[in-house]
Amino acid sequence: MLDDAKASFRRGTLYVAATPLGNLADITLRVLAAFDAADIVLAEDTRVTGQLLTRYGIRTQLVSVREHNERGMADKVVGWLAEGKLIVQVSDAGTPAVSDPGARLARTVRDAGYAVSPLPGPSAVVAALSASGTQCDRWRFLGFLSPKRKARCDAIAAIADCRDAVVIYEAPHRLIECVTDLVDVLGAGRVIVLARELTKTFETIQRLPAAELAAFIAADPNQCRGEIALIIEPAAASEDEDDDTESRRLLEILLDEKLPVKQASQIVSRMTGANRKALYELALSIRAQDDDQD
């Protein structure tokens, strides 16, 4: 199987590979094949990636490309690609360029005319969301917030009314400060999920109102260790938004029954007390969308 996968790789290409968050068994077969086929593996920390390659008996050359030398190494990587080498880039864990080095190198390689291809796999953002119990069709990823309190609080305030889930990363030594700011800015009752050390022995996934989560972390110093993601659940709908949603649902039902727009808006206005003119405009919009779909 690995031999078949190895045959599919193109030389003169940079492959961006996702690696396990902690449990080395989470590596994909295709990434292992890429490691084995590559001339060079670019690693954020060669010691970390070296352990992964050794686990699977792979001896491909490792070269360090990290945040502080990514710009300087980019031209060298382009030169290797010009020679027809097959190169794989990884970060220490998860997917490169997601709050990790990688984006600058990928852009430089693309700008030089060479292909960059993803080898998908583990991502802390997606792993945290999948096990969190957060019910939301949409989410935003903000990465690491500022270590400075004012800037961090400003960023939190900007998503206070957000109706999407928001995922952030946080450093262990700033976790208590960050969660305290979440309580202060968003309120004690805003639900937050702590996803820590995912896939590892001491994995923690805790979903609590913000104030209770702060107390949970303060009571257990071990929660301030390892890799940490926080999911801020969506803000609750206001009464006005709930009313708008109900009015729209009623209009959609009546329009589906082929009632005229004017009559449907009059009926919903009598049922909900909502402004008849606003409902008429909304009904026209719904009818136009239906016509476009037809």
Side-chain angles (χ1 to χ4, degrees), residues 26-283:
D26 289 336
I27 193 73
T28 70
L29 292 176
R30 191 162 175 242
V31 171
L32 287 177
F35 284 158
D36 201 29
D39 297 294
I40 298 170
V41 173
L42 308 176
E44 186 178 1
D45 186 327
T46 56
R47 295 167 297 180
V48 172
T49 305
Q51 292 176 359
L52 177 61
L53 267 60
T54 298
R55 165 76 176 268
Y56 292 99
I58 297 171
R59 301 178 180 275
T60 304
Q61 178 186 359
L62 288 167
V63 174
S64 176
V65 176
R66 56 195 188 281
E67 181 181 1
H68 300 298
N69 74 346
E70 186 178 9
R71 185 189 302 273
M73 286 296 297
D75 290 339
K76 186 173 288 188
V77 172
V78 169
W80 289 333
L81 294 172
E83 296 171 3
K85 294 186 184 299
L86 194 160
I87 301 177
V88 176
Q89 182 192 19
V90 299
S91 57
D92 287 347
T95 303
V98 182
S99 287
D100 272 327
R104 179 179 287 118
L105 177 60
R107 176 173 292 185
T108 300
V109 168
R110 285 194 174 281
D111 289 347
Y114 295 96
V116 180
S117 183
L119 299 178
S123 166
V125 180
V126 175
L129 285 165
S130 71
S132 68
T134 300
Q135 296 182 348
C136 188
D137 293 333
R138 303 191 310 178
W139 54 272
R140 305 182 190 184
F141 176 58
L142 300 186
F144 287 93
L145 300 185
S146 173
K148 298 181 179 179
R149 186 171 190 273
K150 183 180 185 307
R152 184 169 61 239
C153 287
D154 287 346
I156 295 170
I159 52 95
D161 298 322
C162 183
R163 299 298 303 280
D164 305 332
V166 177
V167 186
I168 63 175
Y169 288 163
E170 191 50 275
H173 63 280
R174 288 197 299 267
L175 178 60
I176 291 179
E177 295 176 7
C178 180
V179 174
T180 299
D181 290 342
L182 290 171
V183 174
D184 291 344
V185 178
L186 302 180
R190 186 69 166 265
V191 176
I192 299 172
V193 179
L194 168 68
R196 187 187 71 88
E197 291 290 85
L198 295 175
T199 78
K200 302 176 187 178
T201 302
F202 299 105
E203 176 181 273
T204 300
I205 302 175
Q206 188 68 258
R207 179 178 181 271
L208 291 169
E212 293 181 33
L213 184 65
F216 169 77
I217 295 169
D220 182 2
N222 287 321
Q223 300 306 321
C224 292
R225 296 180 179 178
E227 304 293 329
I228 296 163
L230 294 169
I231 302 171
I232 303 163
E233 296 209 344
S238 67
E239 291 185 8
D240 288 344
E241 288 175 309
D242 285 339
D243 291 344
D244 289 346
T245 300
E246 178 66 10
S247 295
R248 184 181 185 92
R249 188 181 69 82
L250 291 171
L251 282 174
E252 289 173 343
I253 291 172
L254 295 177
L255 294 173
D256 282 344
E257 296 297 324
K258 307 303 180 183
L259 265 69
V261 167
K262 183 177 180 180
Q263 185 179 359
S265 58
Q266 288 174 339
I267 292 172
V268 175
S269 178
R270 289 199 299 271
M271 293 175 66
T272 65
N275 182 275
R276 184 182 300 178
K277 182 177 179 180
L279 290 172
Y280 181 78
E281 295 296 329
L282 178 58

